[in-house]
């Protein structure tokens, strides 16, 4: 018999994602905190976006916070960085679909 340790990120009583390492779970939890903080910031803007789109945008910005910070500092991203972001976004979107079922 094998013993498997799992780290589960839970928000408001809902399982969001399961990880095999505490480091990954903590990083995901922190990203969700960032997204939660971005949502009201974006909602207060003059942009005419619905709540779902606002949450998706917040999640996307939180996922790519390192690139966003570079952009805010005026650093132009390299093409390789933007290609890597697209790959990570597709992987994360696929994981989110799997865990929400």
């Amino acid at each position: 018999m094998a013993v498997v340790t799992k780290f589960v990120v839970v928000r408001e009583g809902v399982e969001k994602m399961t990880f095999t390492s505490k480091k990954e779970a903590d990083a995901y939890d922190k990203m969700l905190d960032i997204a939660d903080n971005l949502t009201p910031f974006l909602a207060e803007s003059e942009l005419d976006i619905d709540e779902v789109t606002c949450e998706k945008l917040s999640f996307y910005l939180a996922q790519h916070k390192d690139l966003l910070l570079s952009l805010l500092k005026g650093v132009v991203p390299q093409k390789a960085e933007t290609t890597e972001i697209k790959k990570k976004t597709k992987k994360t979107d696929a994981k989110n679909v799997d865990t929400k079922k």
Side-chain angles (χ1 to χ4, degrees), residues 30-46:
K30 183 176 180 181
M31 189 268 306
L32 290 177
D33 285 339
I34 293 168
D36 286 346
N37 291 332
L38 283 171
T39 300
F41 173 76
L42 293 172
E44 292 173 1
S45 71
E46 294 179 10

Side-chain angles (χ1 to χ4, degrees), residues 11 28-42 54-63 65:
R11 289 289 174 124
Y28 189 78
D29 188 49
K30 183 176 180 181
M31 189 268 306
L32 290 177
D33 285 339
I34 293 168
D36 286 346
N37 291 332
L38 283 171
T39 300
F41 173 76
L42 293 172
C54 185
E55 288 177 1
K56 285 181 179 181
L57 180 58
S58 297
F59 189 79
Y60 178 82
L61 293 173
Q63 278 182 308
K65 69 177 174 73

Side-chain angles (χ1 to χ4, degrees), residues 8-12 14-19 28 32 95-96 99-100:
V8 181
V9 177
V10 177
R11 289 289 174 124
E12 299 174 4
V14 178
E15 267 188 40
K16 294 295 184 178
M17 191 78 82
T18 302
F19 298 91
Y28 189 78
L32 290 177
K95 284 183 182 177
N96 287 335
T99 59
K100 290 181 180 178

Side-chain angles (χ1 to χ4, degrees), residues 45-81:
S45 71
E46 294 179 10
L47 301 171
D48 187 25
I49 55 176
D50 61 277
E51 186 178 338
V52 172
T53 304
C54 185
E55 288 177 1
K56 285 181 179 181
L57 180 58
S58 297
F59 189 79
Y60 178 82
L61 293 173
Q63 278 182 308
H64 306 293
K65 69 177 174 73
D66 294 333
L67 178 60
L68 180 60
L69 287 170
S70 295
L71 290 169
L72 291 172
K73 291 178 183 177
V75 177
V76 178
Q78 300 297 320
K79 187 173 183 176
E81 289 177 315

